[in-house]
Amino acid sequence: MLDAAMHVRRMVESDKVSAMRRCRIAMTKNAFAVFVLLIHFSALMSCSSDREDSLSVADAPVEVVFTDVKPAVENLIGRLLDNARHEPSSGSRRGELGMAYEIHGFPNAAYTSYIQAESREPTNARWPYFQALMLAKLGVHEQALAALDRTVEIEPEYGAAWMWRATWSLDVGLTGQAEEGFERARLLGLEAVADAGIARLRLHQDRPEEAATILESLIQKARYPSIYQLLGRAYREMGRVDDARIALARGRTTQPISWSDAWEEEKKAYEVGFQARILRSQRLLKLDRLGEALTILEALIEEEPGNPVVISTLSSAYAKSGEITEAFLTLRRALRRESVDYTVHANIAPFYENRGDHEIALQHLDRAIELNPSVAFPYTRKGLLLQKLGRYEDALVAFENALGNSANDPHNFFYAGDVEALLQRWDKAIYRFNQSITVDPSFTLGHLNLGLALARETRFAEARAALERAKTLGTHDGDVARALGYVARLEKGSN
Amino acid sequence: MRFVYRTTAVVVLLWIPGCSDGTALTTNGTNGEAVPWFEDQSVQRGINFRYESGHEDRYLLPEIMGGGVALVDIDNDGDLDAYLVQGGKLLSEAGPGNKLFINRGDGYFEERIDSGAGVDKGYGMGVASGDYDNDGDADLYVTNYGPNVLLKNNGNGGFEDVSEVAGVADEGWGTGAAFLDLDSDGDLDLFVVNYVNWSIAIEQDCFSTATGWSLADYCWPTAYNAPARDRLYRNNGDGTFTDVSDQAGLDVAFGNGLGVVGLDADSDGRTDVFVANDMGENQLWLNRGDLRFDDEALILGCAVDEHGVPKSGMGVAAVDHDNDGDTDLLVVNLATQTDSFFRNNGTYFEDATVSVGLAAATKRYTRFGVALVDFNNDSRLDLYEANGAIGFSRETLNDQVYAEPDVLLRGLVDFRFKEVQFQGGTQTPLVYTSRGMAVGDVNNDGGLDLLIVNRDGPANLLMNQISHQGNWIRFRVLDRHNRDAHAARVSADLGPIRVTRDVQPAGSYLASNDPRVHLGLGEATSVNNVSVRWTDGTLEHFGDFKAGKTAVLRYSEGLAQ
């Protein structure tokens, strides 16, 4: 390893002499020694004043040699490389190239490009910022923080940089620096996430009561799962276990707390790969930017008309835009293909159901299940339709099949309980409603219906307790009042 | 022609200096920093095994997840034998079969071909060991994609497939498994973890996220939206089991289960079960008695990380790391995610990953096999992680596109970890697509060795080279049936510190480990006040023991409290 590094050092030194020579990164382990040295230099930068000289070690734009890449990716990178070669002193051109490399899985080339960009455009805070984010992904927080220091030195008003600085500082135990970062982010307009950061800091400082105060106020304005999750931790540390359970259940999420980051958003313009564009369209759908989503999806369906994700997403986008007929036709066209994914059948069924063609809807759901018996949602849809048709026993079978495939959603337990209640099998209904609130203690429908089922079993005290829990969890007062009235009437009738 | 970078990520990370004090990860430290801790002696010691994933053109998810390994004394001669689980061609009816290697007594192995241990031709994943029928010899339970197999040790060097008779041939995609006496009735029940409700019919075309989704690769488990349910089989005491999963309460939480370990998380005397899930919340099934369990991972703080996000849990280790009398948990995760070190504070778990120094050191690679044990016998737990990617990047390390080097960190006085100089503890880094890993002393020299299974690569038998740097003692803990007392808790005074370790063959990834309890003693020459809390709640005292040997602690031979 040492020999490789020394060899590359000599190689790079010779590149300095011939500044315009193309820097071709060969497919050898020396390539990464280059990357190592450049990281080494960039780390040294934060410790020494010889930064300028260090950054100029490789003048030519970083070029990767690749094959087996989608034409759109190759064309994009080729175009950006040409731009960088034609404007060799432009930091922006190096930075654009870096962003494209980063998006398409060339992290070392990306990192090097960002360093080159920074050397050419030292007043653009993006370049050290992107370096910081890449270093943080590797877990090298000290170097990431050093790069962030350069970022905020150039651009002290970029809130996202302060949030990262605070977050990573907290991750490595620099609580003072973390507090400073959160405060700065707060002043720059990121109040909600900064307050959440301060709360997390207070938890680190064993001050859960202060954390809870901050979060209880925050939750009134921003009901994000991450906020509930932090609140649950605070309650737990305060010994409020029941409150903690509910908050943690509401705090279930798959993503950490996030904040707007315009500079990171710029990278998305370089997402030209097929899958990347699908994901981009789904993000846009979630943000209700329907026109942009449809533009991407209509192009994608032309490229791969049989792709089930594109079909489903496009249909969803049309439906969300109010173009119901087009949403339906997208799925129906897909049905004519030789190979049909189960999602097409599962997603077209509701259209037939809404038209009153229940048997056709059921046929499609059965076909979805036949194609993929491992997924819960076609069973759930089938169960709901059968319940609507009054075929309760059949509905129950469908819900139990759904539960056999995924127990993590309280709704399937609730649906099964609901059918048992319709069949007046109260003990089984109680069992299923109890399961629903075991999975999710914050599931208000579960508590409400559990209360009603308990009342039918003359377990009136338990019924009232369940309804009180439903009320505490935010069930509409009117619903709870009606349920309590019902319980009271049953109790009176039983005496 | 696929794009490939030949690189040495090792170089990348070993050459990143810290600015604060100029010391890098490559700084020489004391006691073991200047010498390799392990040497791969698989070839010379007769472990000749290569896990065949069977990958051809399509990317079929099971191909990237196996295989497992057990270090267990099969023939009851006092040394550890090795059982390695094989894959094969996923779509064919029978694979090459698993392999059993018998230890000659000196840490050298011979393959035993006619034992019946290779009768299982399924697409193998992991293995658990335990004497389920209390007849004095260790049996094996092999998890497969497809029906699992229970191999009963007949005591004469042979195995018999009794899966159907026993009623444990679960047909899901089995991964981790553990034999544990969960109802304290004296026999070992069986907890089986399942991964995804996968079949070839639902396989999808997925793309590598590291390449901007432009190259085909294995799917994430969440792509199928089909987490699998785990199974609890109650041992009926007559050679058969009953599936009590629903009655136990396991039907309210599914996950993409991989790692499993038994522990008494809440110190109530009952054995609980922790399951590490991939891209989903971990589960901590608290034992309420009568084989009823509640998943309390979320409220107890070991379901998700410090940011509230589920990670991609693979292997798991459970041990009292900080010597405070309760069991801590370590879950190893996907690259770009840190490990999850959940410190048990007696009431709940706190994510202490950063404070023990495991953040930066562990994010680089995807970790599977894990061992949190004292390799250098300095009385502090060290950490070995066997790594291998599940998705490729354009910048790979060798021709094996998922291969990654392993990581070894030594335990420090303040319970933090620091990476050793030699990457992965060997003279040159071992770069494979590592999966299952078992830890145990195969040559009974007082040093814990490692046996690692690598996808489409040779297995590594890493022999400990530095155990002589400290004293040690080991306990074989046997219950009333003369079998290893799974989940029994051994405690001993080591100077002013009370050290606690469980008898715990399960753990790591798809593996079964040496059931003997190993304690590194540093310069101490004895341990005092040794006690065992048996799984029936009995506490017995066994007195003091001198270092340098394996002592047997047998049920009812101590002084009962």
Side-chain angles (χ1 to χ4, degrees):
Chain A
M1 289 186 284
L2 273 172
D3 287 344
M6 291 307 295
H7 169 73
V8 171
R9 189 191 293 274
R10 287 192 288 274
M11 193 172 86
V12 169
E13 297 272 326
S14 70
D15 272 349
K16 277 169 76 173
V17 173
S18 172
M20 295 303 291
R21 184 183 306 163
R22 178 170 295 178
C23 174
R24 176 177 290 265
I25 298 179
M27 294 202 293
T28 69
K29 67 173 97 176
N30 292 337
F32 290 88
V34 171
F35 173 57
V36 168
L37 281 167
L38 288 170
I39 292 182
H40 178 85
F41 289 142
S42 86
L44 282 177
M45 271 185 314
S46 60
C47 309
S48 79
S49 57
D50 297 325
R51 188 163 162 267
E52 281 294 326
D53 293 340
S54 301
L55 285 172
S56 64
V57 291
D59 261 350
V62 176
E63 182 180 338
V64 297
V65 178
F66 53 83
T67 59
D68 198 18
V69 170
K70 299 279 185 193
V73 176
E74 191 168 357
N75 291 342
L76 169 72
I77 291 179
R79 177 169 58 81
L80 295 174
L81 259 175
D82 283 342
N83 291 344
R85 288 190 201 112
H86 288 133
E87 296 178 55
S89 60
S90 166
S92 295
R93 295 305 187 196
R94 301 299 171 106
E96 288 165 0
L97 184 60
M99 286 191 271
Y101 278 141
E102 187 180 350
I103 289 288
H104 294 289
F106 301 92
N108 294 344
Y111 189 82
T112 308
S113 299
Y114 291 144
I115 290 177
Q116 292 178 339
E118 186 178 4
S119 74
R120 284 157 177 74
E121 196 179 3
T123 57
N124 190 333
R126 282 167 180 72
W127 314 133
Y129 182 67
F130 291 156
Q131 291 169 53
L133 293 176
M134 292 190 75
L135 287 166
K137 274 189 194 157
L138 283 178
V140 193
H141 285 111
E142 287 78 10
Q143 277 67 43
L145 284 167
L148 270 185
D149 283 343
R150 300 202 303 279
T151 303
V152 298
E153 192 182 323
I154 300 165
E155 178 48 80
E157 306 284 299
Y158 193 60
W162 286 105
M163 274 304 301
W164 282 122
R165 191 167 186 272
T167 301
W168 299 336
S169 295
L170 185 52
D171 282 347
V172 297
L174 299 172
T175 52
Q177 194 163 293
E179 182 131 24
E180 181 206 1
F182 289 129
E183 285 301 327
R184 290 294 293 265
R186 201 172 191 288
L187 292 170
L188 289 167
L190 295 174
E191 292 97 346
V193 290
D195 282 347
I198 294 281
R200 187 172 150 238
L201 172 62
R202 296 289 176 258
L203 288 173
H204 269 265
Q205 294 170 324
D206 288 328
R207 291 151 68 175
E209 292 82 6
E210 290 178 50
T213 302
I214 294 169
L215 295 162
E216 283 166 352
S217 170
L218 192 53
I219 214 80
Q220 303 305 318
K221 296 173 260 184
R223 290 180 179 259
Y224 298 133
S226 302
I227 312 263
Y228 277 111
Q229 192 270 333
L230 286 168
L231 186 57
R233 282 176 54 191
Y235 286 151
R236 181 176 61 208
E237 290 177 32
M238 292 161 65
R240 291 168 58 178
V241 177
D242 289 340
D243 292 334
R245 279 186 191 281
I246 290 167
L248 288 168
R250 287 181 166 152
R252 285 194 152 107
T253 180
T254 58
Q255 298 294 328
I257 200 163
S258 62
W259 46 87
S260 61
D261 189 340
W263 292 347
E264 270 292 281
E265 279 297 310
E266 290 171 8
K267 290 179 186 173
K268 295 192 168 52
Y270 301 97
E271 289 176 346
V272 298
F274 187 87
Q275 200 78 359
R277 283 181 288 151
I278 292 178
L279 290 168
R280 181 166 171 72
S281 71
Q282 289 172 339
R283 280 197 300 269
L284 289 166
L285 261 187
K286 275 192 187 151
L287 295 170
D288 287 329
R289 287 159 65 175
L290 303 176
E292 293 171 72
L294 279 168
T295 302
I296 296 173
L297 289 162
E298 284 167 354
L300 290 174
I301 200 80
E302 292 295 317
E303 292 175 40
E304 291 201 20
N307 186 298
V309 179
V310 176
I311 293 167
S312 297
T313 311
L314 180 58
S315 176
S316 295
Y318 282 135
K320 225 174 170 187
S321 304
E323 297 181 62
I324 305 301
T325 302
E326 204 50 47
F328 170 72
L329 290 174
T330 299
L331 295 170
R332 207 169 75 171
R333 278 192 289 271
L335 283 175
R336 294 196 195 108
R337 300 190 63 80
E338 192 179 308
S339 168
V340 182
D341 190 77
Y342 80 98
T343 54
V344 178
H345 288 284
N347 289 332
I348 204 169
F351 289 94
Y352 287 106
E353 181 183 343
N354 290 340
R355 282 172 19 170
D357 291 326
H358 299 131
E359 285 309 315
I360 298 177
L362 283 170
Q363 284 168 17
H364 280 291
L365 289 170
D366 282 337
R367 183 66 182 138
I369 289 166
E370 186 183 352
L371 288 169
N372 187 350
S374 304
V375 178
F377 85 87
Y379 292 107
T380 304
R381 281 201 176 146
K382 181 177 176 182
L384 288 169
L385 177 52
L386 289 167
Q387 181 180 350
K388 187 170 154 183
L389 298 174
R391 291 164 58 178
Y392 296 138
E393 294 289 358
D394 293 337
L396 205 51
V397 170
F399 290 134
E400 284 171 358
N401 280 324
L403 286 169
N405 282 297
S406 176
N408 301 336
D409 183 344
H411 289 90
N412 283 317
F413 290 103
F414 168 73
Y415 296 144
D418 199 30
V419 173
E420 297 285 9
L422 286 167
L423 292 167
Q424 303 200 22
R425 298 198 289 233
W426 303 112
D427 55 340
K428 290 185 178 172
I430 289 167
Y431 175 65
R432 289 302 192 191
F433 293 140
N434 261 325
Q435 284 185 312
S436 76
I437 61 176
T438 297
V439 171
D440 182 356
S442 71
F443 186 55
T444 53
L445 269 181
H447 290 282
L448 188 68
N449 285 272
L450 175 63
L452 295 170
L454 285 165
R456 292 302 297 253
E457 287 280 275
T458 69
R459 291 158 66 176
F460 298 114
E462 292 173 77
R464 278 191 287 275
L467 293 174
E468 281 304 317
R469 281 196 302 273
K471 183 177 178 183
T472 306
L473 288 168
T475 304
H476 192 271
D477 285 350
D479 292 338
V480 176
R482 276 189 290 279
L484 283 168
Y486 179 74
V487 171
R489 286 194 298 277
L490 281 178
E491 188 169 16
K492 190 175 175 185
S494 74
N495 287 337
Chain B
M1 182 173 70
R2 184 172 299 290
F3 170 80
V4 171
Y5 256 136
R6 288 184 179 275
T7 184
T8 310
V10 170
V11 176
V12 170
L13 293 145
L14 289 179
W15 278 80
I16 295 175
C19 288
S20 54
D21 57 4
T23 56
L25 294 170
T26 56
T27 304
N28 274 342
T30 57
N31 289 345
E33 290 280 10
V35 298
W37 287 37
F38 296 100
E39 184 178 285
D40 182 10
Q41 298 180 3
S42 48
V43 173
Q44 53 266 57
R45 287 184 179 265
I47 298 292
N48 173 23
F49 180 84
R50 179 188 176 92
Y51 182 86
E52 302 290 347
S53 73
H55 172 65
E56 292 177 325
D57 296 319
R58 284 192 74 186
Y59 290 86
L60 307 176
L61 186 62
E63 294 169 351
I64 197 63
M65 302 305 293
V69 55
L71 283 173
V72 55
D73 187 359
I74 290 294
D75 51 6
N76 269 338
D77 62 352
D79 53 52
L80 293 172
D81 309 299
Y83 185 83
L84 293 101
V85 176
Q86 181 58 278
K89 293 289 183 197
L90 193 57
L91 302 180
S92 73
E93 287 190 3
N98 308 325
K99 284 196 177 182
L100 173 65
F101 295 88
I102 296 294
N103 192 330
R104 287 182 343 203
D106 52 2
Y108 287 78
F109 294 84
E110 290 173 350
E111 185 180 348
R112 179 76 59 82
I113 294 180
D114 56 353
S115 67
V119 65
D120 169 31
K121 303 279 191 220
Y123 192 91
M125 286 287 132
V127 57
S129 69
D131 182 6
Y132 81 94
D133 51 0
N134 287 337
D135 65 352
D137 46 54
D139 311 296
L140 299 171
Y141 184 77
V142 183
T143 57
N144 292 312
Y145 169 69
N148 298 335
V149 172
L150 177 61
L151 296 173
K152 174 179 157 55
N153 188 337
N154 64 19
N156 295 322
F159 286 90
E160 180 189 352
D161 180 353
V162 296
S163 319
E164 294 295 334
V165 167
V168 293
D170 181 35
E171 296 198 357
W173 179 353
T175 50
F179 281 108
L180 297 160
D181 184 2
L182 294 173
D183 51 4
S184 300
D185 65 351
D187 51 41
L188 292 173
D189 310 297
L190 179 59
F191 194 102
V192 181
V193 173
N194 287 310
Y195 189 46
V196 174
N197 273 337
W198 182 90
S199 71
I200 186 74
I202 64 166
E203 187 55 277
Q204 303 176 27
D205 293 327
C206 294
F207 298 85
S208 162
T209 56
T211 62
W213 303 282
S214 55
L215 289 178
D217 203 349
Y218 292 101
C219 294
W220 300 91
T222 48
Y224 310 96
N225 199 19
R229 58 188 308 169
D230 301 332
R231 296 282 175 192
L232 172 59
Y233 294 98
R234 182 194 67 216
N235 191 330
N236 298 323
D238 58 0
T240 67
F241 292 80
T242 301
D243 183 348
V244 295
S245 310
D246 285 359
Q247 299 92 301
L250 268 57
D251 58 344
V252 296
F254 294 4
N256 304 315
L258 288 175
V260 64
V261 71
L263 71 157
D264 184 3
D266 53 357
S267 299
D268 67 350
R270 288 189 287 254
T271 304
D272 312 304
V273 182
F274 180 85
V275 177
N277 286 312
D278 189 0
M279 299 187 78
E281 294 176 11
N282 300 320
Q283 291 150 339
L284 176 59
W285 295 103
L286 285 192
N287 191 335
R288 304 302 193 192
D290 298 323
L291 287 179
R292 292 174 300 109
F293 293 81
D294 291 321
D295 176 17
E296 299 283 55
L298 192 60
I299 188 65
L300 290 181
C302 55
V304 296
D305 74 357
E306 209 255 333
H307 297 275
V309 178
K311 287 181 174 165
S312 298
M314 313 292 194
V316 59
V319 68
D320 181 9
H321 175 251
D322 50 3
N323 298 323
D324 63 353
D326 48 45
T327 306
D328 311 298
L329 285 163
L330 173 65
V331 183
V332 296
N333 301 307
L334 193 67
T336 73
Q337 300 173 345
T338 66
D339 289 348
S340 294
F341 187 90
F342 296 117
R343 176 185 290 139
N344 191 333
N345 68 8
T347 309
Y348 54 85
F349 291 87
E350 298 168 316
D351 186 341
T353 308
V354 173
S355 66
V356 298
L358 285 181
T362 60
K363 278 179 97 162
R364 297 164 285 170
Y365 310 116
T366 297
R367 292 86 68 203
F368 281 88
V370 55
L372 187 52
V373 298
D374 190 354
F375 289 115
N376 59 354
N377 287 333
D378 66 352
S379 79
R380 296 183 285 275
L381 296 176
D382 312 299
L383 175 60
Y384 193 99
E385 297 180 346
N387 305 325
I390 48 84
F392 57 77
S393 68
R394 297 187 188 281
E395 297 151 348
T396 58
L397 296 164
N398 55 30
D399 289 333
Q400 291 283 322
V401 295
Y402 301 100
E404 293 180 332
D406 298 338
V407 168
L408 171 64
L409 302 101
R410 64 180 303 206
L412 305 178
V413 172
D414 57 358
F415 300 115
R416 292 175 59 84
F417 294 93
K418 181 180 174 182
E419 194 165 358
V420 303
Q421 175 181 359
F422 291 91
Q423 171 94 29
T426 49
Q427 182 71 41
T428 53
L430 297 174
V431 185
Y432 294 100
T433 311
S434 298
R435 295 291 184 256
M437 180 175 79
V439 59
D441 185 358
V442 303
N443 55 352
N444 285 333
D445 67 347
L448 292 172
D449 313 299
L450 295 164
L451 181 53
I452 303 172
V453 170
N454 298 309
R455 176 190 186 264
D456 295 330
N460 303 127
L461 177 59
L462 302 188
M463 299 303 293
N464 190 320
Q465 304 295 302
I466 61 161
S467 59
H468 58 276
Q469 292 183 358
N471 297 322
W472 60 276
I473 190 167
R474 191 169 295 146
F475 297 106
R476 181 106 197 265
V477 186
L478 300 175
D479 73 354
R480 73 185 78 202
H481 301 286
N482 215 38
R483 63 162 171 81
D484 292 300
H486 294 197
R489 175 162 289 186
V490 178
S491 299
D493 289 338
L494 178 58
I497 297 169
R498 187 93 178 139
V499 177
T500 299
R501 298 285 181 268
D502 294 345
V503 178
Q504 202 180 78
S508 184
Y509 178 76
L510 303 184
S512 185
N513 304 290
D514 186 347
R516 298 172 294 184
V517 172
H518 178 95
L519 297 178
L521 307 181
E523 293 179 357
T525 56
S526 66
V527 289
N528 303 317
N529 296 321
V530 175
S531 66
V532 177
R533 180 172 292 284
W534 305 97
T535 54
D536 65 0
T538 310
L539 178 65
E540 289 185 339
H541 299 276
F542 290 85
D544 307 335
F545 290 85
K546 288 203 180 313
K549 63 174 183 178
T550 298
V552 176
L553 305 178
R554 192 171 272 116
Y555 185 87
S556 81
E557 290 187 0
L559 188 63
Q561 177 170 312

